[in-house]
Amino acid sequence: MTNVTGDTSNKPSDRKDINPFLKTALELGPVILFFIAYLRMKDDVFTIGGTDYDGFIVVTAAFIPLLIASTGALWWLTGKLSKMQVATLVLVVVFGGLSVWLNDDRFFKMKPTMIYVLFGGVLGFGLLRGQSYLKYVMEEMMPLKDEGWMILTKRVALFFLALAVANEIVWRSMSTETWVYFKTFGLSAALFAFFMTQGRLFQTYSSEPEEEA
């Protein structure tokens, strides 16, 4: 249960520690399984209830409950889910469900666009109010001064919007298989590369106390 009585930042009861390999498996496992299943079923057509569904739609239909289960297990084991994880799950259920229901893969392909527009828009709204919403999500992982958080938030907001544009270009102009590779590896690699390039900012605006000589 959420502690509503005061500071929740570092209390042992706020969260549970689990094996990092298990945590990674629960976070990345559904995406990897989606990729593998798509490669195996991409050329297949399944007739269900008199309607033909291609492999992408069938794999999407299986991915939704798998992500729900893995996210639920992560919450049960750790006692906590990030806002990003919750929002991602909701959008997967909504857009993935629309793709399956309407037998139209475009909705699921638009899901990353909606995620990045949502997060980029929320961060941008916070900046207009003079606040860094990113700080509330990542402060424990990266202790920064307020000025550093504002700079990083602006960069992340613009980066998310750029990813949204990139996703739109890829799914609208390239094959489904190319989009699956892009979604599985391209977006993840882009996020990793982005934060790797922010090392100078982390060093310049770190709020960690300097060690005494």
Side-chain angles (χ1 to χ4, degrees):
M1 295 180 61
T2 303
N3 188 331
V4 296
T5 59
D7 182 21
T8 62
S9 58
N10 293 309
K11 294 182 180 180
S13 59
D14 290 337
R15 66 182 69 190
K16 308 169 189 175
D17 292 328
I18 65 171
N19 186 296
F21 293 105
L22 175 59
K23 184 174 184 292
T24 301
L26 289 171
E27 291 175 340
L28 301 181
V31 176
I32 295 173
L33 289 175
F34 174 89
F35 177 74
I36 294 173
Y38 170 75
L39 291 183
R40 293 177 63 89
M41 300 168 62
K42 63 181 180 179
D43 298 322
D44 298 332
V45 176
F46 302 84
T47 302
I48 304 173
T51 302
D52 291 339
Y53 297 90
D54 63 29
F56 182 87
I57 296 296
V58 173
V59 172
T60 299
F63 176 73
I64 296 171
L66 178 61
L67 186 64
I68 293 173
S70 65
T71 304
L74 193 62
W75 173 77
W76 183 68
L77 290 170
T78 65
K80 181 179 181 179
L81 290 175
S82 70
K83 293 179 177 64
M84 184 175 292
Q85 288 171 315
V86 174
T88 298
L89 178 62
V90 171
L91 290 174
V92 165
V93 171
V94 172
F95 284 90
L98 284 172
S99 279
V100 175
W101 182 33
L102 300 175
N103 198 12
D104 188 338
D105 62 11
R106 292 177 297 176
F107 290 99
F108 192 64
K109 292 176 179 177
M110 283 189 283
K111 184 263 299 179
T113 301
M114 297 298 103
I115 289 176
Y116 292 126
V117 167
L118 173 63
F119 292 151
V122 168
L123 294 179
F125 176 74
L127 289 170
L128 291 176
R129 300 185 62 194
Q131 297 177 306
S132 170
Y133 291 162
L134 188 66
K135 176 181 178 180
Y136 301 137
V137 179
M138 304 182 68
E139 186 174 19
E140 292 181 13
M141 299 178 354
M142 297 182 299
L144 295 175
K145 298 175 183 177
D146 288 342
E147 184 180 357
W149 277 117
M150 294 299 289
I151 295 172
L152 180 62
T153 301
K154 183 183 299 184
R155 292 179 183 179
V156 171
L158 292 174
F159 179 66
F160 279 163
L161 295 178
L163 289 183
V165 172
N167 184 68
E168 285 296 295
I169 292 173
V170 171
W171 84 259
R172 290 179 184 275
S173 63
M174 302 182 187
S175 67
T176 295
E177 183 171 353
T178 299
W179 178 82
V180 170
Y181 276 97
F182 170 75
K183 170 64 177 67
T184 306
F185 302 108
L187 292 176
S188 299
L191 283 167
F192 177 77
F194 171 80
F195 280 101
M196 288 295 292
T197 61
Q198 303 307 307
R200 186 178 182 86
L201 182 145
F202 299 146
Q203 183 178 17
T204 302
Y205 294 98
S206 174
S207 63
E208 290 183 341
E210 298 182 2
E211 295 182 2
E212 295 183 1

